[in-house]
């Protein structure tokens, strides 16, 4: 990268003269101005002051923090956010925190160093007290998260209800031993869903069995592992809430290798309504999240915040969740096809 | 965000005095200095000069440009790049170009405005002549791309060979009418694979049939559509090179709804060896790309470029591709199970 010294050298002038030209100082001859501008162009030199002025007010860049791009829920969210940003002549950059509180704080410095105008947190790993100070540098909006302590806009879904309707559906299909999976990271999403699962069980007079709870599972491989844990149990759940279409796909795929009949031997419910739910056989019952609508609202609110410069306002936007019933939980011939015992005693 | 005027107001001093304190000007009393620093702290004011100096040399941020995060190949690439960046105390930000040449150029301004130290292009949409000028602002590295005109490091895979081995495998299974899919965007990847497909066909004395070529297809939904196009043909291909595990999954999933026997009625080969290949039944034959190794090398080279400041060096790093044979192309009882005619005449 060229420096002001390179420009001075090429123009055959002093650093001071170059600096004067850049800063539009009076009393510089037209000839010298021309020499400096020609040298700058030839070297492609962008003065730091210009680079800065290009974004002194706005970078027209918004960052979204997500835990993992490999989770299709988040990649779909990014896709829509990017389009919503582009519609407002904004750029979106994506920061992957890998569920790390330290990485999250590092990325938040993008606000402090004015590399971005605002940050959308699609998950957050730190306690709000540690995030809040960054609000002095620019707006932060929660999308797909709810934090009661946060004094910023929150665009989220009622995940308690999501956990509730999914579990209630399994109960209505006659299941009383219900397994549970969760990503298990610091996030309001997992906590809220667990609350909903427990509420449904309680209303049906059933217990949340900690021995049937599988934590820190969030991809296809983990799903395969969950199947083997269940298979190895003396008393097994007859249905499982996975919290993730990927985990559900992994469980079903592995179960079929061992000739388990899904949903007769094990009913499996996913979450997100990703494309994979209609690829796996049987198709996966799941909970649809209105990702597109949520992303659009988040970017709309972010744009408004950047322009109003009023960052500390608690605003709540809640979006609905919807159960989608498919073959992985409902069978037409429940009794006939069962091939393995519900429990080994 | 607070301004220098806010600081002056709170400190009860002039803007000039505040500016002098910030710039360590002599002849400012200790009392005034203290007042200014207290006001700055209270307002969380970061002078632009400080924000700038924090990244005047380096932002310790690298951007990777990908077309779509929703493509699992790219999300896996991002995952590994992010880890490789973190290992070097760098941050990775992701820019999604949506295959848009205009967006790509906009994002390249991140280099010009010094918001990032370097750019990794995991696909590129513009002619190299339009990208090359940005090299004056920082390093650009191609990863997963090859461009003969580019004078920068290129980390890529021999996609000609990838297209060749995949097609040769279909030919060896007895197929002579072979369909072809491609994303169809400006990218060396698609062009190279097509070259390999044509080479294999030529060596076997077969023709590349343009009527069997499906362009601009790259996801599960597109795969379903491709199946319907094939189904509607009078003369149908007996095998298809999809260039994408997602397209392959879509074709297979839809074909099974119509009781086609895969691979007997249609052999399908994917590309990438994504997790979905082992979820779909039959499992998908595919071409494995060493994404992890490639991402690690790209970040290593980028780190070296940032530090050497020598950006214009053509360096070639080629990684191998490998065929993985599964059930979607090879059947044990090819003759017995066929249920639909190979062509309708």
């Amino acid at each position: 990268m060229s420096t002001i010294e390179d420009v001075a050298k090429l123009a055959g002038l002093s650093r001071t003269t170059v600096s004067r030209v850049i800063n539009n100082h009076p009393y510089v001859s037209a000839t010298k101005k021309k020499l400096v501008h020609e040298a700058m162009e030839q070297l492609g030199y962008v003065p730091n002051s210009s680079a800065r002025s290009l974004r002194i007010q706005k970078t027209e860049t918004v960052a979204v923090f997500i835990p993992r791009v490999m989770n299709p829920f988040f990649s779909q969210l990014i896709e829509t956010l990017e389009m919503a940003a582009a519609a407002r002549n904004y750029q979106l950059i994506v920061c992957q925190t890998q569920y790390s509180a330290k990485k999250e704080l590092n990325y938040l410095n993008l606000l402090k160093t004015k590399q971005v105008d605002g940050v959308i947190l699609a998950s957050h790993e730190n306690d709000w007290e540690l995030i809040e100070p960054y609000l002095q540098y620019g707006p932060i909006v929660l999308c797909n998260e709810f934090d009661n302590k946060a004094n910023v806009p929150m665009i989220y879904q009622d995940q308690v209800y999501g956990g509730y309707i999914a579990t209630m559906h399994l109960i209505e299909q006659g299941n009383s031993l219900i397994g549970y999976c969760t990503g298990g990271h610091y996030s309001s999403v997992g906590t809220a869903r667990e609350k909903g699962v427990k509420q449904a069980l309680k209303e049906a007079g059933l217990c949340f069995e900690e021995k049937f709870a599988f934590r820190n599972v969030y991809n296809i491989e983990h799903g395969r592992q969950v199947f083997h844990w269940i298979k190895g149990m003396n008393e097994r759940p007859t249905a499982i809430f996975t919290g993730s279409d990927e985990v559900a796909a992994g469980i079903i795929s592995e179960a079929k290798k061992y000739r388990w009949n899904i949903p007769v031997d094990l009913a499996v419910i996913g979450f997100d309504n990703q494309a994979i739910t209609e690829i796996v056989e049987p198709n996966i019952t799941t909970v649809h999240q209105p990702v597109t609508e949520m992303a659009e609202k988040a970017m709309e609110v972010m744009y408004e915040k950047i322009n109003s410069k009023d960052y500390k306002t608690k605003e709540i936007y809640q979006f609905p969740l919807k159960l989608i019933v498919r073959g992985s939980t409902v069978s037409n011939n429940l009794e006939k096809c069962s091939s393995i015992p519900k429990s080994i005693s």
Side-chain angles (χ1 to χ4, degrees), chain A:
Chain A
M1 230 176 297
S2 337
T3 64
I4 193 165
E5 283 76 19
D6 299 331
V7 177
K9 204 173 157 190
L10 185 65
L13 297 166
S14 72
R15 193 190 182 286
T16 314
T17 308
V18 174
S19 173
R20 280 180 178 156
V21 173
I22 290 170
N23 294 298
N24 285 316
H25 205 282
Y27 317 122
V28 186
S29 74
T31 319
K32 285 184 180 170
K33 272 189 195 167
K34 192 163 170 278
L35 281 169
V36 169
H37 284 300
E38 280 171 0
M40 280 170 63
E41 193 163 333
Q42 202 177 322
L43 293 166
Y45 173 72
V46 178
N48 273 311
S49 57
S50 302
R52 187 187 67 203
S53 78
L54 280 170
R55 57 186 149 68
I56 196 159
Q57 290 305 331
K58 291 185 194 170
T59 60
E60 293 185 337
T61 307
V62 167
V64 57
F65 292 14
I66 51 126
R68 289 173 63 246
V69 284
M70 286 194 74
N71 179 328
F73 170 78
F74 289 110
S75 54
Q76 198 192 331
L77 184 72
I78 293 166
E79 182 107 342
T80 319
L81 280 175
E82 200 279 321
M83 286 189 283
R88 290 165 179 84
N89 285 319
Y90 262 73
Q91 294 190 124
L92 184 80
I93 63 173
V94 181
C95 304
Q96 180 175 258
T97 62
Q98 304 259 23
Y99 300 107
S100 152
K102 186 164 166 275
K103 282 188 185 177
E104 182 171 271
L105 293 181
N106 280 344
Y107 278 124
L108 277 169
N109 279 321
L110 291 170
L111 264 187
K112 191 169 176 178
T113 56
K114 302 184 186 351
Q115 282 168 273
V116 298
D117 292 345
V119 168
I120 295 174
L121 294 177
S123 85
H124 75 91
E125 309 302 328
N126 285 282
D127 206 69
W128 187 254
E129 280 76 27
L130 291 171
I131 296 173
E132 210 270 347
Y134 289 90
L135 273 179
Q136 63 191 295
Y137 308 116
I140 297 172
V141 165
L142 296 187
C143 175
N144 187 47
E145 278 279 5
F146 177 82
D147 190 325
N148 209 20
K149 287 179 285 179
N151 50 343
V152 298
M154 288 171 249
I155 293 93
Y156 75 108
Q157 296 151 111
D158 187 352
Q159 301 288 354
V160 178
Y161 178 70
Y164 178 85
I165 52 174
T167 309
M168 204 43 107
H169 169 70
L170 297 176
I171 294 167
E172 282 168 358
Q173 297 303 310
N175 297 289
S176 54
L177 297 176
I178 296 174
Y180 169 78
C181 302
T182 178
H185 297 282
Y186 183 104
S187 145
S188 67
V189 174
T191 319
R193 284 186 195 162
E194 187 162 328
K195 203 173 155 189
V197 170
K198 286 176 174 168
Q199 190 181 321
L201 291 169
K202 199 178 165 193
E203 284 182 20
L206 299 171
C207 283
F208 181 89
E209 302 268 9
E210 195 54 43
K211 68 178 175 185
F212 290 161
F214 307 97
R215 300 184 187 274
N216 296 308
V217 295
Y218 50 81
N219 64 28
I220 289 175
E221 265 320 300
H222 296 158
R224 295 192 191 279
Q225 187 57 54
V226 167
F227 168 74
H228 285 284
W229 285 327
I230 291 175
K231 186 169 164 286
M233 288 176 165
N234 284 335
E235 185 186 43
R236 295 173 184 148
T238 61
I240 188 156
F241 171 94
T242 64
S244 150
D245 290 334
E246 289 177 289
V247 172
I251 293 174
I252 295 171
S253 171
E254 200 67 12
K256 285 163 71 185
K257 285 188 194 165
Y258 291 85
R259 303 191 179 280
W260 283 36
N261 181 324
I262 305 292
V264 179
D265 299 325
L266 185 70
V268 184
I269 189 163
F271 216 104
D272 285 353
N273 197 23
Q274 294 168 7
I276 203 173
T277 55
E278 298 193 86
I279 290 290
V280 174
E281 287 164 29
N283 288 184
I284 302 175
T285 296
T286 191
V287 178
H288 174 76
Q289 311 205 69
V291 185
T292 308
E293 296 85 341
M294 217 167 55
E296 177 55 45
K297 174 54 91 178
M299 195 53 78
E300 179 192 320
V301 171
M302 172 54 76
Y303 187 74
E304 190 267 315
K305 289 289 131 192
I306 289 170
N307 290 299
S308 74
K309 299 192 180 248
D310 179 16
Y311 308 148
K312 298 185 182 178
T313 57
K314 190 165 188 153
E315 300 166 25
I316 310 279
Y317 304 93
Q318 202 190 65
F319 283 76
L321 291 170
K322 201 172 74 183
L323 181 73
I324 294 175
V325 178
R326 300 198 183 103
S328 74
T329 56
V330 178
S331 172
N332 291 330
N333 44 357
L334 265 174
E335 293 313 312
K336 277 186 287 180
C337 302
S338 185
S339 58
I340 57 157
K342 286 285 190 293
S343 70
I344 299 166
S345 53

